[in-house]
Amino acid sequence: MKPVSNSYLVSADLIRYFIIWCIMSNSSVVDGELYSSISGESSSSVHDAQYCHDIIGEHVYKPDVPVQLIPFKGLIFKSLKLAIKMYSEYAEIGGFDVRLSTQSRFDNKITKKKHIICNHGGKQKKKSCDTLGTSGVRRKRNSNSRAIGCQAKIIFESVYGTPDYKVFQFDELHNHPLEKRSNLKKARQMSYSEKEFIVHASTSKIGPTMAHKLRASLRGGYEFVKPTVVDYKYLRRDINRVIGYKDAQMIVNTMNDRRAHYPNYSFEFNCQDDVLDCMFWADEMEKTYYAEFGDVISFDATFRTNKYQMVFVPFTAIDHHKKSVTVGSGLLSNESIELLLISDDLFTNTDFRKRFSKLVWDINMKPDVFEVK
């Protein structure tokens, strides 16, 4: 067998670098060259096969990536940004998502080592699974549900005295099957118009599952909608979570805006320790109903919301068609409001109820006398 010359090894490395540079140069690279070669172990990283099989043993998987794109220990990059970008694109081709992990710094705050791991890396935290609890405490979502202890990772180390970074450690084997490129998180990222569509669907009382079906129908098929139903549900959950901290202020702002722009619109609210305690509102039509049919008004404080533990109170009158009309509405944090306590006491007083009923049903009584009595 004819021995391989050193010049051939060098040219093989150069070809390998050139291929990766050509692939990466399609994106906006502003840090100069992608990486520079080093002598030593780089020559042993050149393989004869074009692809590596992804299944190499039971519960052991290797990304099916062209060998020219596989990083190796000692490979140098011109910046940490380019190093991370390379591994992210390697992961995308290989069929797994990555996330930034631990890092260490020099005294001057420059990153010394940076760990990037498979999205399935780490150990899942043990949490209580008591589904019979009745304390009402909301359980936190398990954000580490994808962690199954995968050891695939890469560690970049700063080359002292330069802005360069080199591969300090590279572990390419996974303990889980790899996915199609179209199923990865990066490929499923939503556009602004898609997020806007989900928000509009939500305000129209359309859930994320139905919104995903509508989107697929409008686009001509599910193959043209990259995000999954689960992605739609996650976005809806995140929107609700953001609104949850600001919903009281949002409704107060909305009501104040209506009071400023709608004719004859009334809105009042009260806070206790920066928490919305109660609010009342009535529009122009409700005030008209009150002026015409406000001789007797009833209110019902039995409608309690589940999420906010507030009581919805509609104020109701009877029009000349014997139909109920709303003359105002309110939200109360509890029934300790003085008005409600007085009303409850009055209507539990048997003597008062008898005298009041006799007064109301006296058909011979003149209006002015009724008002006085």
Side-chain angles (χ1 to χ4, degrees):
M1 180 181 295
K2 185 177 180 180
V4 180
S5 66
N6 291 332
S7 60
Y8 174 81
L9 292 176
V10 174
S11 62
D13 271 347
L14 291 175
I15 293 173
R16 183 180 180 188
Y17 300 152
F18 178 74
I19 292 175
I20 300 180
W21 182 85
C22 289
I23 294 175
M24 299 291 289
S25 61
N26 291 328
S27 56
S28 57
V29 177
V30 296
D31 294 75
E33 297 179 2
L34 184 62
Y35 48 74
S36 58
S37 62
I38 62 173
S39 60
E41 42 189 315
S42 61
S43 60
S44 62
S45 301
V46 180
H47 307 288
D48 293 330
Q50 183 180 3
Y51 280 87
C52 298
H53 296 294
D54 57 346
I55 302 177
I56 63 173
E58 186 177 6
H59 305 305
V60 180
Y61 303 85
K62 188 175 182 179
D64 189 14
V65 177
V67 293
Q68 297 92 343
L69 304 183
I70 301 175
F72 55 89
K73 185 177 180 180
L75 184 61
I76 294 181
F77 297 83
K78 289 297 184 181
S79 69
L80 181 58
K81 178 182 177 181
L82 285 174
I84 295 174
K85 184 178 181 65
M86 178 281 300
Y87 190 65
S88 298
E89 298 199 0
Y90 159 82
E92 183 180 0
I93 298 173
F96 65 99
D97 289 310
V98 298
R99 69 174 186 269
L100 302 180
S101 187
T102 59
Q103 66 180 12
S104 59
R105 295 179 180 271
F106 292 112
D107 293 337
N108 56 1
K109 306 303 182 182
I110 295 177
T111 301
K112 181 179 180 181
K113 285 185 180 179
K114 184 68 178 180
H115 296 237
I116 307 173
I117 65 175
C118 172
N119 203 35
H120 289 285
K123 294 182 179 180
Q124 185 170 352
K125 295 181 180 179
K126 294 183 179 180
K127 293 191 176 182
S128 173
C129 294
D130 181 13
T131 59
L132 299 178
T134 58
S135 62
V137 178
R138 296 180 62 184
R139 293 174 59 193
K140 293 183 178 179
R141 182 178 67 91
N142 183 7
S143 60
N144 294 324
S145 58
R146 293 177 62 89
I148 55 175
C150 182
Q151 296 296 317
K153 64 178 177 294
I154 194 168
I155 303 174
F156 296 108
E157 183 182 45
S158 173
V159 179
Y160 187 76
T162 72
D164 300 346
Y165 282 82
K166 67 179 180 180
V167 177
F168 176 79
Q169 182 178 338
F170 173 56
D171 299 319
E172 59 181 333
L173 300 183
H174 298 256
N175 66 348
H176 57 88
L178 301 169
E179 303 181 50
K180 293 182 179 179
R181 192 171 182 175
S182 58
N183 293 335
L184 297 178
K185 186 177 181 179
K186 184 176 181 180
R188 304 196 322 265
Q189 288 181 346
M190 295 186 189
S191 63
Y192 177 82
S193 62
E194 198 148 27
K195 293 178 181 179
E196 189 178 36
F197 177 81
I198 297 174
V199 173
H200 288 166
S202 177
T203 56
S204 301
K205 307 299 182 183
I206 299 176
T209 302
M210 183 56 67
H212 189 266
K213 291 182 179 179
L214 289 174
R215 186 72 173 181
S217 178
L218 293 172
R219 297 295 296 272
Y222 286 99
E223 64 272 18
F224 300 108
V225 181
K226 294 181 180 180
T228 64
V229 176
V230 176
D231 296 323
Y232 271 50
K233 291 180 179 179
Y234 282 165
L235 181 65
R236 174 71 177 274
R237 177 207 64 200
D238 294 339
I239 292 173
N240 291 340
R241 182 177 296 169
V242 171
I243 293 177
Y245 292 104
K246 303 177 181 178
D247 47 3
Q249 187 62 54
M250 289 173 63
I251 192 171
V252 169
N253 292 344
T254 300
M255 290 300 195
N256 282 330
D257 186 65
R258 290 184 178 183
R259 182 170 57 182
H261 296 92
Y262 288 12
N264 204 19
Y265 191 94
S266 295
F267 169 64
E268 299 293 337
F269 71 96
N270 185 51
C271 292
Q272 293 276 349
D273 298 327
D274 293 330
V275 177
L276 183 63
D277 188 55
C278 63
M279 54 184 288
F280 298 91
W281 66 94
D283 59 19
E284 185 177 27
M285 181 59 69
E286 290 170 340
K287 290 183 178 181
T288 302
Y289 285 148
Y290 175 77
E292 293 293 329
F293 314 114
D295 292 336
V296 179
I297 298 175
S298 67
F299 60 91
D300 190 346
T302 61
F303 302 101
R304 184 178 297 276
T305 63
N306 292 328
K307 181 176 181 180
Y308 301 100
Q309 296 299 311
M310 297 188 77
V311 181
F312 172 65
V313 183
F315 295 87
T316 308
I318 304 297
D319 65 7
H320 51 282
H321 296 293
K322 298 183 178 181
K323 302 294 184 181
S324 298
V325 292
T326 301
V327 297
S329 303
L331 279 174
L332 311 175
S333 60
N334 51 61
E335 292 190 55
S336 63
I337 307 300
E338 184 179 2
L339 176 62
L340 292 182
L341 286 175
I342 293 176
S343 302
D344 289 344
D345 291 340
L346 289 176
F347 281 91
T348 55
N349 188 313
T350 305
D351 181 61
F352 172 81
R353 290 172 59 186
K354 288 181 179 179
R355 292 188 289 113
F356 187 75
S357 296
K358 183 177 180 180
L359 181 66
V360 170
W361 295 107
D362 189 346
I363 60 176
N364 297 317
M365 188 177 297
K366 299 296 183 180
D368 54 343
V369 178
F370 175 83
E371 295 289 344
V372 172
K373 289 183 175 294

